[in-house]
Amino acid sequence: MRLSDSEERKTKIVINSIILAISLYGMSQRDYVFQKTSIAERVIIDLMAPVQSFVTGIQEGMSSYVEHYVANLNASKENKVLKNKISDLQNEVFSYQEAVKESDRLRELINYGEQLERKKIVARVVSWDSADDYKVIRINKGVKHGVKLHSVVVSAEGLVGYVYRLTAHFADVITILDANNRVDGVVERLRSHGVVEGYSRGRCIMKYVNRTEPIILNDIVLTAGLGNVYPKGLKIGYISRIERESYGITQHVEITPIVNFSKLEEVLVLVQEQEEDKQLEWKALDQEPEAGEIKR
């Protein structure tokens, strides 16, 4: 006779309950074994336990030291790698910043030259005269780049000088700080004329200014455009000292150049196509100044 499903489940529950009860009873009757130690064993245990504890402490200490040493060593290596990466990134950032600054200077230089109707060549200053007074500078453009003798050199601030010596790849520029470089100048405010020459300590002097001219400090001096060399209207500098003597017909006028020659990095060379008659005019001018030594 087959049992129904509910009866089978009850039967299984009863059987499992009986088996569980028998198992619990067997465990409760189990005898636990206890081993008795002799006096000698207790003595040995008492003597060895501190030693074992000491040895275990040393092992743990050594293990901890090794782990810390390895961890510090790895951290030191990682720190060095990170420092190198930071240094590389800082160098890259510095290079990018310098590139941006140079780009800004070149943009300003090119914008300044747009108003001048001459061929324009951008050049970099690579050296200056050994006297360290910036009377002569050298640029990295020469004949092969289209530079010609007597080409005017300017910066974004104003007049630098003119090219007086050339090679295939370089050119030497005599600046307005040299006494041999004479520039016809005009005071912007009064239109008073004079001749600007290099003087001393990074300044120029403006000669032949009539004593009666009411010039004042900080008056701007521009190129007058005479002599077929310098275009008209280039900034030369500002008047920084005036001495009016009680005698004579002129006054002593010192000019501080607009251009900061100690920070000059890029310049613009203005090349003018010269006709034959202009070339003949150059032969009648004073001899070219002797070049000072060039510091590389």
Side-chain angles (χ1 to χ4, degrees):
M1 181 177 179
R2 185 177 178 181
L3 299 176
S4 62
D5 292 339
S6 60
E7 291 177 345
E8 286 183 357
R9 283 196 298 271
K10 291 179 179 179
T11 303
K12 289 180 179 179
I13 292 173
V14 172
I15 294 172
N16 289 335
S17 299
I18 294 172
I19 293 172
L20 179 60
I22 294 172
S23 299
L24 292 174
Y25 176 77
M27 292 178 63
S28 65
Q29 297 298 319
R30 181 177 177 181
D31 293 331
Y32 290 94
V33 178
F34 295 95
Q35 184 178 1
K36 293 182 179 181
T37 56
S38 63
I39 296 175
E41 290 175 335
R42 287 197 298 270
V43 172
I44 292 173
I45 291 173
D46 291 338
L47 292 175
M48 293 301 296
V51 177
Q52 291 174 336
S53 177
F54 177 74
V55 172
T56 301
I58 292 177
Q59 290 176 342
E60 291 177 352
M62 289 296 294
S63 177
S64 177
Y65 174 80
V66 171
E67 288 178 359
H68 282 82
Y69 174 78
V70 173
N72 289 334
L73 185 63
N74 292 334
S76 178
K77 291 180 179 178
E78 292 177 359
N79 188 38
K80 186 176 181 180
V81 171
L82 291 175
K83 283 184 177 179
N84 291 335
K85 289 183 178 179
I86 291 173
S87 178
D88 292 339
L89 290 174
Q90 288 176 337
N91 289 334
E92 289 183 11
V93 170
F94 178 77
S95 298
Y96 291 146
Q97 290 175 340
E98 287 299 306
V100 170
K101 291 179 182 178
E102 181 178 3
S103 177
D104 291 340
R105 290 196 304 269
L106 292 176
R107 187 182 300 108
E108 185 179 1
L109 188 61
I110 293 172
N111 291 338
Y112 176 80
E114 285 181 352
Q115 58 186 334
L116 304 173
E117 297 180 356
R118 296 193 183 188
K119 179 182 176 182
K120 305 167 187 67
I121 301 173
V122 177
R124 184 187 300 276
V125 177
V126 294
S127 61
W128 51 92
D129 60 314
S130 58
D132 206 25
D133 51 9
Y134 308 104
K135 292 181 179 180
V136 178
I137 63 174
R138 178 166 293 168
I139 58 177
N140 66 341
K141 296 295 173 65
V143 175
K144 289 193 174 182
H145 304 94
V147 178
K148 296 182 179 181
L149 284 174
H150 310 123
S151 295
V152 177
V153 180
V154 299
S155 72
E157 290 78 25
L159 181 62
V160 173
Y162 71 89
V163 174
Y164 81 99
R165 185 166 60 189
L166 271 174
T167 66
H169 300 283
F170 297 93
D172 288 343
V173 178
I174 183 170
T175 72
I176 59 175
L177 298 177
D178 195 301
N180 294 299
N181 189 355
R182 298 173 179 87
V183 185
D184 288 302
V186 59
V187 179
E188 182 181 32
R189 184 175 59 87
L190 302 172
R191 313 313 296 179
S192 304
H193 284 260
V195 176
V196 179
E197 299 178 359
Y199 184 51
S200 66
R201 299 186 298 277
R203 288 178 296 173
C204 301
I205 186 172
M206 191 171 183
K207 294 183 175 180
Y208 314 121
V209 180
N210 195 297
R211 186 173 177 273
T212 60
E213 293 289 345
I215 59 176
I216 59 176
L217 294 177
N218 296 319
D219 268 345
I220 300 297
V221 179
L222 309 175
T223 54
L226 305 176
N228 295 326
V229 181
Y230 299 104
K232 184 178 181 179
L234 298 178
K235 288 184 178 181
I236 299 174
Y238 59 90
I239 296 176
S240 54
R241 185 180 180 187
I242 303 171
E243 290 184 6
R244 294 185 176 92
E245 301 291 344
S246 59
Y247 57 89
I249 60 174
T250 61
Q251 51 189 316
H252 180 87
V253 180
E254 292 184 15
I255 297 173
T256 298
I258 292 290
V259 176
N260 187 345
F261 287 91
S262 65
K263 296 183 179 180
L264 192 61
E265 297 184 51
E266 296 90 16
V267 295
L268 196 64
V269 183
L270 306 178
V271 182
Q272 184 178 27
E273 298 295 336
Q274 296 182 354
E275 301 173 358
E276 291 296 328
D277 56 344
K278 290 183 179 179
Q279 293 179 3
L280 293 176
E281 289 177 9
W282 274 109
K283 293 181 180 180
L285 297 176
D286 294 338
Q287 294 182 351
E288 294 176 351
E290 294 183 359
E293 294 181 358
I294 299 297
K295 179 172 67 177
R296 297 183 184 277

